[in-house]
Amino acid sequence: MSGSDYLVRAEQRLDAAHQVLEDLDLLARWRRYGDPVTCGSVAYGLVVEPDIDVEVFTDVPSIDAAFGLLHEVAKVPGVVRCAFTPN
């Protein structure tokens, strides 16, 4: 695969990630609990693996709220995987 092919694929994956964020209204869902920020490869526009990283900054961290939101999102048709990493 040529360098330009990688760039085209990265752009397609970035577009797909933005579509997922929009379809799931993911940032608005997380906003109920704090200030969500897209980070990682999607934030930098260098998507190699098809994943979306979101950090949520909050004064009152709640694992219950996070798992509740993931449970909500995991039930949406087409969602394949959700993961949560507490810091």
Side-chain angles (χ1 to χ4, degrees):
M1 190 180 299
S2 74
S4 63
D5 292 336
Y6 285 112
L7 293 175
V8 168
R9 184 174 69 181
E11 185 67 30
Q12 290 169 338
R13 288 183 174 175
L14 181 61
D15 290 345
H18 284 245
Q19 190 63 52
V20 168
L21 286 166
E22 183 180 320
D23 290 349
L24 294 177
D25 204 15
L26 203 52
L27 297 179
R29 289 176 192 256
W30 278 116
R31 219 170 270 116
R32 298 184 303 214
Y33 306 106
D35 183 25
V37 177
T38 305
C39 55
S41 61
V42 171
Y44 291 110
L46 302 169
V47 182
V48 175
E49 296 296 324
D51 71 332
I52 301 168
D53 299 312
V54 176
E55 291 184 1
V56 181
F57 297 91
T58 181
D59 292 331
V60 185
S62 170
I63 289 176
D64 291 337
F67 275 108
L69 188 135
L70 290 177
H71 178 259
E72 183 182 309
V73 171
K75 295 189 301 183
V76 174
V79 172
V80 177
R81 186 175 139 234
C82 295
F84 170 74
T85 305
N87 287 340

